[in-house]
Amino acid sequence: ALFNGVDIALISPFVKNIFSRVGGYLKGDFDIVGSFSEPIINGTASLFDAACKINYLNTYYKINPQDSNEENLAPYLRFDKNRIDLNNIVLVDTLGNKALANGVITHDYLKDFIFDIDLALDNFLAMDMPEDVSSTFYATAVADGNVEINGPLDDISITIDAETMQGTTIDIVLTGTNTINDNFIVFVQKDVQKDTTQIIIPEIDKGKK
């Protein structure tokens, strides 16, 4: 199967819970063998002028834009049996800053996808959640560092080792601890022993003024 500029918007119905505004083009050469229940896809592909919005983070990224490969990073996707390798996939945020994605996505014949992806952020817009009266928090997060994404879609683990950069603002709506119902915000009660100071007032000799 030879793909030469196939519109990746075709996958939108399958990822609509996670991604929206999916667009761009796929070029690649694949060997497809096996059965409908257990298809095996082998080959290499590249994304061109692709983009998508991550719904929860409200962030829109271009993927491998034409001007992003000045460092000859040769971004590509490699498909082997039950795995997809990501090599130097360039993400560009709406501020023009970049992140580099590498890693592996494993699957069971195109089912039960498991992610193992590393992101290197360079002053990157990682979250852009506008103020909403029904939200427990709203934020714009610009970060410099590394992000690891691991696990299946229904139990994703995200490990962040990053520094917040200029332009980051996070506002938490606090009307009481019982109003916070978000996995990202956890209140921790620590037992703090209070310091006590004993004040001793000496007795006054009544015979003296």
Side-chain angles (χ1 to χ4, degrees):
L2 179 63
F3 293 86
N4 187 14
V6 174
D7 191 346
I8 62 172
L10 294 172
I11 69 170
S12 295
F14 304 101
V15 298
K16 61 182 180 180
N17 292 331
I18 305 172
F19 304 106
S20 59
R21 297 175 60 188
V22 176
Y25 302 95
L26 176 73
K27 294 182 180 181
D29 190 1
F30 301 95
D31 292 324
I32 304 173
V33 299
S35 62
F36 282 107
S37 60
E38 295 186 349
I40 298 174
I41 301 175
N42 296 309
T44 303
S46 298
L47 293 170
F48 293 90
D49 291 331
C52 70
K53 176 184 176 182
I54 301 179
N55 295 331
Y56 184 76
L57 301 176
N58 196 46
T59 49
Y60 181 77
Y61 301 128
K62 292 182 179 180
I63 307 170
N64 294 342
Q66 292 181 351
D67 60 348
S68 66
N69 302 328
E70 66 275 3
E71 299 176 5
N72 296 319
L73 297 175
Y76 63 81
L77 304 172
R78 177 183 290 121
F79 292 76
D80 290 313
K81 179 181 178 180
N82 289 345
R83 69 178 283 153
I84 304 170
D85 293 296
L86 283 69
N87 182 77
N88 293 328
I89 304 301
V90 180
L91 305 178
V92 180
D93 64 18
T94 53
L95 303 176
N97 299 319
K98 299 177 183 178
L100 193 64
N102 286 279
V104 177
I105 303 172
T106 58
H107 56 89
D108 183 16
Y109 299 103
L110 302 181
K111 300 183 295 292
D112 302 326
F113 289 84
I114 298 176
F115 293 80
D116 184 9
I117 299 175
D118 294 329
L119 290 169
L121 312 181
D122 185 6
N123 206 33
F124 195 67
L125 181 63
M127 181 183 295
D128 189 19
M129 301 179 68
E131 182 177 359
D132 190 321
V133 293
S134 63
S135 296
T136 55
F137 76 98
Y138 48 96
T140 298
V142 181
D144 198 13
N146 295 283
V147 176
E148 296 179 2
I149 303 173
N150 305 99
L153 281 174
D154 58 353
D155 190 21
I156 284 285
S157 172
I158 301 177
T159 303
I160 302 174
D161 181 12
E163 178 183 359
T164 55
M165 307 300 288
Q166 184 176 359
T168 297
T169 60
I170 299 176
D171 293 274
I172 302 174
V173 180
L174 289 178
T175 58
T177 58
N178 59 341
T179 64
I180 302 297
N181 295 309
D182 196 291
N183 292 331
F184 285 127
I185 303 173
V186 179
F187 285 93
V188 178
Q189 182 177 358
K190 296 184 177 181
D191 294 329
V192 179
Q193 184 177 1
K194 295 182 179 180
D195 292 332
T196 58
T197 303
Q198 184 177 11
I199 301 176
I200 302 177
I201 301 177
E203 293 185 3
I204 299 175
D205 188 348
K206 296 181 180 180
K208 296 182 180 179
K209 293 184 179 181

